[in-house]
Amino acid sequence: MTVFPIENHCYCGNAKPFTECCYQYISGNTAAPTAETLMRSRFSAFCIKDPDYLLETLHKDPRAKESRKALLRSFGNTQWRSLKIIRSHQGAGGQRRGAVEFAAFFVEGEKGGQLHERSRFEFEDGRWFYTDGDILPPITVPRNEPCWCGSGRKLKKCHPD
Ligand SMILES: [Zn+2]
Ligand SMILES: [Zn+2]
């Protein structure tokens, strides 16, 4: 595990410490109650590069094709920096399926990038699992908003374009 995020914000962007947010699910203490909380905790697991949680929360069909080695390799030097949930569809307690559209931002060396995806989730055996997702075109972040990289500067002065 790498260092915890600063200022009592979880990696997923919620205004509470990691230990009171996604870590509860990643540590296995409790199961994520909704598709969105699972999605957030998977994002946080990418931030701390925890392959076990990512495999455990992957639905068994895609999991059969994913290897721990490939996952570790995919972490590479990518640092996930922030998450913007765009919308959630279903995925609440008592439902079988859910979808979450999000934009996740990362840096790789000097370069920044974004993953805009609509992910699908299924509820099985009392837990939510990620099944698959569709990659969508990047969203536009307003240039006067704080940069997604967490620098505290405006986007246009930090990671423009
Ligand atoms: Zn969180
Ligand atoms: Zn930036």
Side-chain angles (χ1 to χ4, degrees):
M1 292 243 220
T2 52
V3 286
F4 280 31
I6 50 166
E7 289 169 17
N8 287 346
H9 271 72
C10 183
Y11 294 100
C12 78
N14 275 336
K16 48 187 175 179
F18 176 56
T19 46
E20 289 168 28
C21 189
C22 295
Y23 181 71
Q24 304 175 79
Y25 314 124
I26 294 172
S27 64
N29 287 339
T30 180
T34 64
E36 185 179 318
T37 48
L38 183 82
M39 192 272 132
R40 286 178 172 278
S41 64
R42 283 180 50 87
F43 174 79
S44 292
F46 270 106
C47 294
I48 62 169
K49 306 190 174 190
D50 179 339
D52 300 319
Y53 185 71
L54 291 166
L55 287 171
E56 281 162 21
T57 54
L58 191 59
H59 191 266
K60 60 183 183 302
D61 300 335
R63 192 191 305 153
K65 293 173 216 131
E66 178 75 284
S67 82
R68 196 169 188 281
K69 237 185 200 165
L71 192 58
L72 284 169
R73 221 176 10 246
S74 80
F75 290 155
N77 62 354
T78 304
Q79 278 192 306
W80 292 91
R81 301 308 292 265
S82 61
L83 174 69
K84 186 181 173 74
I85 301 284
I86 297 165
R87 62 179 72 84
S88 283
H89 178 68
Q90 300 188 324
Q95 295 182 311
R96 303 290 306 165
R97 282 164 203 277
V100 182
E101 182 185 340
F102 64 90
F105 299 89
F106 61 89
V107 285
E108 264 169 0
E110 295 294 295
K111 282 174 55 185
Q114 177 195 138
L115 171 68
H116 178 196
E117 183 182 313
R118 188 169 192 272
S119 290
R120 283 180 286 273
F121 300 88
E122 279 184 35
F123 190 77
E124 236 174 65
D125 304 325
R127 293 174 56 194
W128 284 100
F129 294 92
Y130 170 60
T131 54
D132 61 352
D134 299 319
I135 309 287
L136 304 169
I139 65 162
T140 304
V141 180
R143 292 168 57 76
N144 281 318
E145 278 194 6
C147 190
W148 49 264
C149 78
S151 65
R153 294 151 71 198
K154 287 182 178 177
L155 175 84
K156 64 183 180 191
K157 298 227 163 108
C158 189
H159 280 99
D161 74 45

